[in-house]
Amino acid sequence: MTGPAGSWARLAVVSTLALSLAAAPLTPVLAQEAVAPARLTLADALARSAAADPAVPATEARLRAGEAGVRQADVRPNPTLGLMVENLPSFGGGGIADRTEATLTYEQRLERGGDRPARVSLARAEAAVVQAEALVRRLDRLEMVQRAWAEALAAQAELEIAAERLELADRFQSEVQRRVDMARDPLFAGARAEAELAQAQIDFDQAGINARLTRATLSRFWTGAADFTLESTDFTDTSASRAAAGDVAKADLTIFTAQREIAGARVRVEQARATPDATVSIGVRSLWDDGAVGLVVGGSIPLGRYDRNEGAIDRARAEGLAAEGDLAAARQERERDIARHQVLLASRALEARRIQDETLPLAERAVVLVREGFNRGGFTYNDVISAQRALLETRARRVAVLKQFHIDRARLDRLTGAHADLPGLETQP
């Protein structure tokens, strides 16, 4: 390969520097990969992420808080110990023990209307929401991991296409330069071939940087060490499109269901509060002048004349109706998204197979024929470039379709809770 020495030297320096910057943060990782890189499947990536989820301690703390809330809701009201001293003498009115009376009482509020069971039911419903939200958050994280895994696979495939383009540009530049040296082609043909080769080198370098970046992004979901390899067969596997979408978990709907239960529990709490609680007391009264002691018994109950808690009850019932409506809307939207992504998966899988079986062989055949004709003088430089670009664009289109296939699959798995049974996702309070 010939060309201006200064130009190629600068290009080599830029390419080397770009790859060095991309690899700099991952130097220990590259050393590990050189020792024993292991294949990273989707199941492996999800398991690593679940085991290294930094939000697990916070989730466990929230679940313990829910447990504590249930325990606290089941506690009865505290009794009250009271002391009352009456008939204290005024200044100059005699001794303190002449007419003074002291009363010691023990009071207990009695909950009526089912206050405590209603409070416990509300606390349990609130704890269930915390549990459902924890599962939803972890499923969202697994979807991000699955998308990152797909993007890393796609970046690796794009790097292979860039390498193929660079190889084709290098080989074709040599052929064009040979024809220019033999005066069979004008000088501008050699310049264009060198420009194509320079751009192919830049694209290859950028694809390499992107491949390293996507691998590093994926590995940050656990230890940050990209000690793995990615198999192209995982990227081209579209068998998931033939499997019917399951319904392992309804985590998103569980949140709305729990919120509906909360609304129902609040109705019962407000209804219980509408029934006034009674207070009973018992005590002893001491008469200091003669030392006599008497028994005192009493009680009180509020009169439901003005406040019957009707507004709070109506509000809780309205919130229950709203929660029921939200649940119905979320269920319908979820079913619609599941059906749409099933169709998208099947469509993208079919497109990828047709590109592989129909379009790619024709594009590859066209490149071979045009190159042979160009060597015989039957085609122009533009014909060769157009054929090669058509082939590379076809390969890139297939990679783009497969990448979107895996992203759609990640969304469908999230909607159906396909990974809800993954070890490490247990969030039982």
Side-chain angles (χ1 to χ4, degrees):
M1 180 175 60
T2 62
S7 169
W8 282 111
R10 287 192 300 270
L11 179 61
V13 171
V14 171
S15 301
T16 304
L17 179 59
L19 292 177
S20 300
L21 291 175
L26 304 178
T27 302
V29 177
L30 294 179
Q32 294 177 9
E33 290 182 347
V35 175
R39 175 186 177 185
L40 183 74
T41 63
L42 175 59
D44 296 333
L46 296 176
R48 289 189 184 188
S49 173
D53 190 351
V56 170
T59 299
E60 294 176 348
R62 291 188 179 95
L63 294 177
R64 290 196 300 270
E67 294 177 3
V70 174
R71 292 198 311 270
Q72 182 61 35
D74 199 27
V75 176
R76 295 186 300 175
N78 286 326
T80 301
L81 187 64
L83 175 64
M84 180 177 293
V85 180
E86 302 176 81
N87 298 328
L88 288 174
S90 60
F91 291 102
I96 190 172
D98 291 343
R99 294 176 300 166
T100 302
E101 298 177 0
T103 305
L104 180 66
T105 58
Y106 178 91
E107 296 182 350
Q108 177 65 57
R109 181 163 62 92
L110 302 180
E111 294 181 305
R112 303 169 62 241
D115 292 80
R116 188 161 47 144
R119 288 198 310 269
V120 172
S121 177
L122 177 59
R124 285 175 177 165
E126 291 174 344
V129 169
V130 172
Q131 179 183 354
E133 289 176 345
L135 180 57
V136 165
R137 190 204 61 77
R138 301 204 70 184
L139 290 177
D140 288 341
R141 174 181 169 85
L142 292 181
E143 181 187 6
M144 290 189 292
V145 174
Q146 194 168 352
R147 289 175 63 96
W149 180 77
E151 289 172 356
L153 282 171
Q156 179 173 285
E158 290 167 353
L159 178 60
E160 294 174 358
I161 293 177
E164 180 182 1
R165 178 187 178 188
L166 179 60
E167 181 183 359
L168 289 174
D170 187 11
R171 187 167 53 192
F172 188 67
Q173 191 274 339
S174 299
E175 294 177 0
V176 171
Q177 188 61 46
R178 177 178 58 82
R179 292 170 62 90
V180 169
D181 294 340
M182 297 172 59
R184 297 178 61 183
D185 284 332
L187 293 177
F188 79 87
R192 288 189 60 183
E194 286 193 2
E196 286 287 336
L197 178 58
Q199 186 60 50
Q201 181 66 53
I202 293 173
D203 292 342
F204 175 75
D205 294 343
Q206 291 300 119
I209 293 174
N210 187 49
R212 293 179 183 276
L213 177 61
T214 54
R215 287 170 58 88
T217 301
L218 175 60
S219 65
R220 294 299 178 185
F221 280 101
W222 49 87
T223 62
D227 52 345
F228 56 82
T229 59
L230 298 172
E231 295 292 336
S232 59
T233 53
D234 292 333
F235 187 57
T236 58
D237 182 13
T238 58
S239 59
S241 63
R242 297 189 294 272
D247 198 10
V248 179
K250 298 180 179 179
D252 301 282
L253 300 183
T254 303
I255 292 181
F256 291 99
T257 302
Q259 290 173 345
R260 182 186 60 184
E261 295 300 323
I262 286 179
R266 282 176 178 163
V267 171
R268 292 188 291 272
V269 167
E270 298 301 338
Q271 288 174 337
R273 288 176 178 173
T275 302
D277 297 337
T279 301
V280 297
S281 63
I282 185 171
V284 292
R285 174 173 295 177
S286 175
L287 306 177
W288 287 14
D289 55 352
D290 57 2
V293 176
L295 182 64
V296 179
V297 178
S300 65
I301 185 170
L303 298 177
R305 182 177 180 182
Y306 303 113
D307 184 7
R308 296 182 177 87
N309 209 31
E310 294 177 352
I313 295 173
D314 292 341
R315 176 183 177 181
R317 285 174 175 168
E319 290 176 348
L321 293 176
E324 190 72 35
D326 291 340
L327 174 61
R331 180 183 290 112
Q332 185 181 52
E333 182 178 357
R334 177 177 177 274
E335 292 174 354
R336 182 173 63 248
D337 284 347
I338 289 175
R340 184 171 68 89
H341 280 84
Q342 281 184 298
V343 174
L344 287 175
L345 277 185
S347 174
R348 300 192 197 284
L350 177 61
E351 182 179 0
R353 286 195 297 270
R354 294 193 63 180
I355 291 175
Q356 176 66 29
D357 298 338
E358 301 175 18
T359 311
L360 272 178
L362 294 177
E364 292 170 351
R365 177 63 176 166
V367 169
V368 172
L369 293 176
V370 171
R371 286 174 59 84
E372 291 177 351
F374 177 78
N375 292 333
R376 294 193 302 267
F379 291 101
T380 66
Y381 173 80
N382 289 334
D383 295 329
V384 177
I385 293 298
S386 298
Q388 290 184 170
R389 284 179 176 173
L391 173 60
L392 294 176
E393 288 174 0
T394 302
R395 294 188 186 278
R397 173 60 184 172
R398 179 170 177 265
V399 169
V401 170
L402 289 173
K403 177 181 178 180
Q404 192 60 47
F405 170 87
H406 287 287
I407 290 177
D408 290 339
R409 178 192 172 190
R411 186 56 187 163
L412 182 61
D413 289 346
R414 168 63 184 84
L415 290 170
T416 59
H419 307 302
D421 57 349
L422 189 69
L425 291 186
E426 299 84 356
T427 55
Q428 296 294 334

